[in-house]
Amino acid sequence: MNALQSLNDELASIRAAGRFRSMRRADTPPSVEFELEGKRLLNFSSNDYLGLATHPRLIAAANAATERWGAGSTASRLICGHLGIHEAFENELVAFKGTGVADARALLFNSGYHANTGIIPALTAEPDVILSDELNHASLIDGCRLSRAKKIRYRHNDVADLASKLGENEGARRKLIVTDSVFSMDGDCAPLRDIVELAEKFDAWVMVDEAHGTGVLGSNGRGLVDELDLRGKVHLQMGTLGKALGSFGAYVVAPAPFIELLINRARSLIFTTGLPPASVAAALEAVKMLQESDELRLRLHENIRFFSNGLRELGLLDRDWTTPIFPIVLGEEERTMNAMAKLLEAGIFGSGIRPPTVPPGTCRLRLTVTAAHSTDHLKLALGKLRDLN
């Protein structure tokens, strides 16, 4: 068998399992209403939770930064790619996150994946142990895999299981607990207060991925750590710029020694060109907007309440909901993808999620709401979901 045939066979097996993926072309910016391969749709799959990706202020900031700094950063940030716009945004992030640590600093990465696969291996090695929630995002999982530390998964949001595993590894040099704040496929939140309490008891570090919490939770969108008043107790707050902040990239905020070590050890930072000025300027403008007004975030939460109430009436949700991610678990691949196709025919774009993104038997529609959805948009989507039952 030649190499090309082996690839074709592998693709055939993916198709046979009903898990083949392909890209769909957006013909207009994927705002709340957009065109996907020529079809006009309502978008219930975007992570642009505040509707900022096409906001005039972000576009103007990106244009101005391009005119001043150019289209690209030209090199890694340790060579000549560390621009004034990067430093200005990192300083703003420290003020925005309100870490409660006097020597806090921020560091930008080129994506959430770059951040998580750079931070974790830079901070942990063979004498250490990493404890990771079993439903953490793939980037956290891969960051753990890249580390030479001992890797332990604890049951999802199971504080007792985490405590047991911490107790079994008290002798490790460093103990790092990593968790999403909002889980991207389930929409639930980590029990951060309990996790922090355990970390203090067992002298462990806590790293929280606020990718889906930034801009959504906490005062003016500062995240779940802020909402639970855990500033100064979470060692590393990571988040992304490409979801509620409407741009692209990622950050981590932590005490200065963590940041200095990352600058010297994080390979995904050291060996890549710095973020383009336009992306940084747009995200900086988004953070300024959040600090000026909480209007968009409050509107988002009004929409979350409306949609969750509607889903409960349909029997598709069994409790109150506080995040914009709504998983409708249907079980098997075929049922899920058929439901997605029916929604598309009805003008609603909702994502069908299959393994390996979620465990077998838990395939789902993953629907998201944003501040840009109107009440009529939400009512229409609920009506189409009713038709699926």
Side-chain angles (χ1 to χ4, degrees):
M1 180 187 298
N2 62 40
L4 185 59
Q5 182 59 47
S6 72
L7 294 181
N8 286 327
D9 290 346
E10 186 171 349
L11 287 168
S13 69
I14 294 172
R15 287 188 176 93
R19 296 177 183 175
F20 187 77
R21 291 162 167 78
S22 58
M23 295 184 185
R24 292 181 171 88
R25 184 194 69 251
D27 298 318
T28 62
S31 304
V32 67
E33 295 184 46
F34 77 125
E35 288 186 13
L36 187 71
E37 296 182 339
K39 184 176 178 63
R40 193 74 179 172
L41 298 170
L42 276 179
N43 192 353
F44 280 84
S45 287
S46 172
N47 295 325
D48 183 22
Y49 300 126
L50 300 178
L52 290 176
T54 55
H55 196 283
R57 282 183 59 174
L58 269 67
I59 294 170
N63 288 339
T66 300
E67 290 178 1
R68 178 179 178 187
W69 295 101
S73 296
T74 77
S76 80
R77 293 181 66 197
L78 290 181
I79 300 178
C80 62
H82 175 57
L83 309 181
I85 188 70
H86 294 118
E87 188 167 302
F89 187 31
E90 287 170 343
N91 291 338
E92 188 70 24
L93 279 168
V94 173
F96 173 64
K97 293 296 287 185
T99 61
V101 177
D103 66 342
R105 289 178 57 185
L107 187 64
L108 290 173
F109 284 83
N110 283 23
S111 69
Y113 200 92
H114 279 83
N116 287 336
T117 57
I119 293 167
I120 297 170
L123 297 179
T124 56
E126 193 169 348
D128 307 321
V129 63
I130 305 167
L131 300 106
S132 173
D133 189 291
E134 66 180 350
L135 294 187
N136 275 341
H137 189 266
S139 59
L140 286 171
I141 294 169
D142 288 354
C144 294
R145 287 172 174 166
L146 287 169
S147 171
R148 289 178 289 117
K150 181 180 179 180
K151 292 162 276 289
I152 298 173
R153 293 198 309 169
Y154 62 90
R155 290 190 293 270
H156 177 54
N157 282 350
D158 190 328
V159 177
D161 190 43
L162 174 59
S164 174
K165 289 175 165 58
L166 281 165
E168 293 167 3
N169 292 274
E170 279 193 90
R173 181 188 67 162
R174 296 173 183 167
K175 295 174 282 292
L176 174 65
I177 304 168
V178 294
T179 181
D180 284 317
S181 65
V182 177
F183 290 87
S184 61
M185 291 298 125
D186 292 81
D188 56 344
C189 296
L192 280 188
R193 284 201 182 100
D194 294 332
I195 290 172
V196 165
E197 185 176 327
L198 283 176
E200 291 174 345
K201 178 181 178 181
F202 288 97
D203 190 26
W205 294 337
V206 179
M207 175 180 170
V208 176
D209 183 334
E210 291 268 30
H212 295 273
T214 301
V216 173
L217 301 174
S219 60
N220 295 87
R222 289 177 171 86
L224 185 62
V225 172
D226 175 88
E227 183 166 298
L228 299 179
D229 196 21
L230 295 173
R231 294 173 302 277
K233 298 182 178 181
V234 170
H235 302 81
L236 299 115
Q237 294 186 56
M238 172 267 172
T240 55
L241 314 179
K243 296 179 176 63
L245 298 185
S247 184
F248 178 74
Y251 67 85
V252 64
V253 177
F258 286 96
I259 301 300
E260 292 290 352
L261 189 61
L262 293 176
I263 291 170
N264 283 275
R265 293 276 178 85
R267 294 172 65 84
S268 60
L269 171 83
I270 297 168
F271 299 108
T272 193
T273 300
L275 276 170
S279 297
V280 179
L284 174 57
E285 191 66 22
V287 168
K288 289 179 179 178
M289 290 176 66
L290 289 180
Q291 293 178 97
E292 291 168 8
S293 170
D294 212 16
E295 179 184 354
L296 286 175
R297 195 184 69 86
L298 294 176
R299 188 187 308 163
L300 169 64
H301 282 273
E302 288 177 6
N303 285 345
I304 291 170
R305 284 189 292 273
F306 186 93
F307 202 64
S308 63
N309 288 339
L311 290 177
R312 281 204 305 274
E313 290 176 6
L314 293 175
L316 297 174
L317 197 65
D318 59 3
R319 61 184 175 87
D320 290 336
W321 212 250
T322 58
T323 76
I325 301 166
F326 292 89
I328 299 174
V329 178
L330 299 176
E332 299 307 317
E333 285 96 328
E334 185 176 2
R335 183 184 178 196
T336 299
M337 300 316 291
N338 285 341
M340 178 181 173
K342 288 179 181 177
L343 286 179
L344 280 172
E345 289 174 12
I348 305 292
F349 183 56
S351 298
I353 307 297
R354 299 166 286 174
T357 308
V358 294
T362 69
C363 298
R364 66 200 63 187
L365 292 173
R366 179 187 183 271
L367 305 179
T368 57
V369 301
T370 74
H373 283 112
S374 68
T375 302
D376 286 343
H377 292 149
L378 301 177
K379 287 179 178 178
L380 180 59
L382 290 167
K384 299 305 180 184
L385 289 168
R386 181 181 293 109
D387 294 341
L388 290 179
N389 288 342

